[in-house]
Amino acid sequence: MIWNTMMGTSILSIPWGIKQAGFTSGIILILLMGILTLYCCYRVVKSRQMIPLIDTSNWEFPDVCKYYFGSFGQWSSLLFSMISLVGAMVVYWVLMSNFLFNTGKFIYNYVHDINVTDIVPGTNGSNKVICPSAASGHLPQNRSVVFSADNITGFTLFEKWWDKSQTVPFYLIAVLLPMLNLKSPSFFAKFNVLGTVSVVYLVFLVTVKAAHMGIHLEFNWFTENEFFVPEFRILFPQLTGVLTLAFFIHNCVITLLQNNRNQENNVRDLSIAYFLVGLTYLYVGVIIFASFPSPPLSKECIEQNFLDNFPSDDIMSFVARIFLLFQMMTVYPLLGYLARVQLLRQFFGNAYPSLFHVLALNLAIVGAGVAMARFYPNIGGIIRYSGATCGLAFVFVYPSLIYMISLHRAGQLTWPALITHIFIILLGLANLIAQFLL
């Protein structure tokens, strides 16, 4: 359950993050961030047990923050929790727009028997890989199209009304806004298994593509060229920002573990879940990066969503986009429900005070998603900014501060514990600052 909940859209950006960090440092950072976020998550799980003489069995982590930090802890934890939820919903909207656009494009071309030949730089063969970023700056049209004269008008209209950023993000409103306004999204929770299916299929896709493309790594330090693979890059904080959200489950881990029949196994189950998540990220990230054909392409071509490196007419990528599109369309209302419950219950004491309140909140959230899909459709950037921001509070600062305060009150705080947890807080602060500097 924890693995399924934690595995999200970040997996699509891990190969890009490794490219930004460098191959060797990317692998090391995934391992270190996994261990660090696991420890901080463990501190969250144990935080309730360190409060004496009070029944905390029904408390969530924001309640613990309120106990230690008063109203500041309550409202700040709400703020950072909303950042994580709304940030995830914005990423979902950008990706759903991407997947819907490519799916519609594939279906239209197939039904009308239109042969689309990409002139974006890429490889040849049935397992073609393309480099959209190489053409985005100077090619007005990233394809040549071969069709009969009868199809010219229809194709032109399709291109006009089926645009990735101009139109498709708005089409999603008709489907998703009504879903967000439902009082209970419990119906969509039944489709949670789609998340597992999607991740399993992505692993399968990565394995098959890598088997056909082979391994392409050039580590010759003395003859550096455009295909040279650096083992370390100064842009590595971009990966740590992505990983903060990729390993983020701290604001709901207590709720998830409450369903455990044997509560004494919570730490074991949490450790297993983090191990599996880290292993999945490592496998997908390393395999995609290592097998990306360089030469003839450069590793710099790896996109923030690695599925964009496969052309729209690639069958396996088409199936992956279908899986992910339906998964996200079922998870999106659940995220909206969590945001509604946390925000409106805090302000009005009721998760559904009126249709007007709910509609106003949902319009603001949907508007943010549409604006990002329209003007800033960079999921890697959105993930790392929102991840580093909410992670600063829930991953690094609050768990460490609460642990130090509880030890101090019990007279058990030692210098090694103090220095270690102050260092963790400083790491979280440096991670956030670095996102805006690089």
Side-chain angles (χ1 to χ4, degrees):
M1 180 65 178
I2 298 176
W3 174 85
N4 189 33
T5 305
M6 204 186 314
M7 291 298 303
T9 56
S10 301
I11 191 173
L12 299 173
S13 295
I14 296 296
W16 170 80
I18 292 178
K19 176 195 76 174
Q20 299 300 90
F23 184 66
T24 303
S25 59
I27 295 174
I28 294 173
L29 284 174
I30 292 175
L31 296 173
L32 292 180
M33 285 295 292
I35 294 171
L36 179 59
T37 51
L38 169 60
Y39 173 74
C40 294
C41 198
Y42 165 77
R43 293 267 60 98
V44 171
V45 173
K46 292 295 184 179
S47 61
R48 297 184 305 173
Q49 301 174 14
M50 304 190 72
I51 299 176
L53 307 178
I54 298 179
D55 181 14
T56 60
S57 58
N58 294 321
W59 284 23
E60 302 292 341
F61 191 57
D63 298 313
V64 178
C65 293
K66 182 180 179 180
Y67 172 82
Y68 281 99
F69 308 114
S71 59
F72 172 79
Q74 177 186 7
W75 290 104
S76 59
S77 62
L78 172 65
L79 172 64
F80 287 110
S81 182
M82 289 299 296
I83 290 174
S84 67
L85 288 171
V86 175
M89 294 179 75
V90 167
V91 172
Y92 270 43
W93 201 278
V94 174
L95 285 173
M96 286 187 294
S97 301
N98 181 308
F99 297 150
L100 182 60
F101 168 78
N102 283 289
T103 301
K105 181 179 172 184
F106 177 92
I107 294 173
Y108 182 89
N109 292 340
Y110 180 81
V111 169
H112 293 84
D113 195 27
I114 295 175
N115 180 24
V116 178
T117 304
D118 290 320
I119 58 174
V120 175
T123 59
N124 298 317
S126 58
N127 286 280
K128 184 175 182 178
V129 179
I130 61 176
C131 185
S133 57
S136 59
H138 59 274
L139 290 179
Q141 293 292 330
N142 291 336
R143 59 200 167 274
S144 59
V145 188
V146 181
F147 44 74
S148 64
D150 296 335
N151 286 332
I152 295 178
T153 302
F155 185 81
T156 303
L157 285 174
F158 175 75
E159 289 280 277
K160 177 182 178 181
W161 294 105
W162 197 257
D163 186 273
K164 183 187 291 188
S165 61
Q166 301 284 349
T167 59
V168 172
F170 294 92
Y171 296 155
L172 287 170
I173 298 176
V175 179
L176 293 173
L177 185 58
M179 294 181 182
L180 286 177
N181 293 322
L182 297 175
K183 283 193 174 182
S184 174
S186 57
F187 170 76
F188 301 105
K190 299 175 183 178
F191 296 92
N192 196 40
V193 68
L194 283 175
T196 303
V197 174
S198 300
V199 174
V200 171
Y201 182 78
L202 278 178
V203 172
F204 172 73
L205 179 149
V206 166
T207 304
V208 171
K209 293 293 186 182
H212 284 89
M213 293 186 293
I215 302 300
H216 302 270
L217 294 173
E218 174 58 63
F219 291 109
N220 192 336
W221 289 86
F222 303 102
T223 57
E224 183 172 344
N225 53 55
E226 61 177 316
F227 307 118
F228 172 75
V229 178
E231 298 192 53
F232 171 83
R233 295 183 69 183
I234 197 65
L235 298 176
F236 71 91
Q238 296 187 6
L239 176 58
T240 61
V242 170
L243 291 173
T244 306
L245 193 63
F247 286 112
F248 183 74
I249 200 174
H250 301 63
N251 62 337
C252 60
V253 65
I254 291 177
T255 303
L256 293 174
L257 289 175
Q258 281 177 345
N259 298 323
N260 261 9
R261 181 177 302 176
N262 300 314
Q263 289 293 304
E264 65 274 9
N265 295 331
N266 281 350
V267 175
R268 181 203 67 185
D269 295 344
L270 184 66
S271 302
I272 293 174
Y274 263 85
F275 172 77
L276 293 175
V277 169
L279 187 64
T280 307
Y281 287 153
L282 265 177
Y283 182 81
V284 172
V286 170
I287 292 298
I288 284 291
F289 184 89
S291 63
F292 194 84
S294 172
L297 301 178
S298 167
K299 300 291 186 184
E300 291 298 317
C301 290
I302 297 177
E303 296 289 310
Q304 295 184 15
N305 170 8
F306 76 80
L307 289 178
D308 287 343
N309 285 117
F310 300 106
S312 59
D313 59 352
D314 183 85
I315 297 295
M316 292 191 68
S317 301
F318 167 74
V319 174
R321 292 182 178 110
I322 287 287
F323 272 131
L324 288 167
L325 177 61
F326 280 102
Q327 178 216 349
M328 292 179 184
M329 291 182 72
T330 58
V331 173
Y332 189 84
L334 297 176
L335 294 175
Y337 175 75
L338 291 175
R340 180 210 312 169
V341 167
Q342 292 190 18
L343 189 65
L344 298 186
R345 184 174 289 171
Q346 196 70 248
F347 280 96
F348 302 103
N350 187 344
Y352 205 101
S354 72
L355 179 60
F356 173 78
H357 291 83
V358 173
L359 183 59
L361 173 63
N362 291 336
L363 283 173
I365 294 175
V366 167
V370 172
M372 284 296 186
R374 173 71 179 83
F375 299 107
Y376 188 76
N378 302 316
I379 65 165
I382 301 171
I383 289 174
R384 68 187 183 94
Y385 287 125
S386 59
T389 302
C390 66
L392 175 64
F394 278 104
V395 178
F396 300 102
V397 175
Y398 286 153
S400 298
L401 278 180
I402 288 172
Y403 182 59
M404 288 188 291
I405 292 172
S406 61
L407 287 180
H408 177 70
R409 290 178 178 178
Q412 300 174 358
L413 182 61
T414 62
W415 280 107
L418 179 66
I419 294 173
T420 298
H421 291 87
I422 289 178
F423 179 68
I424 291 175
I425 293 173
L426 292 177
L427 282 178
L429 184 61
N431 183 39
L432 176 61
I433 295 173
Q435 305 310 315
F436 297 93
L437 297 179
L438 297 173

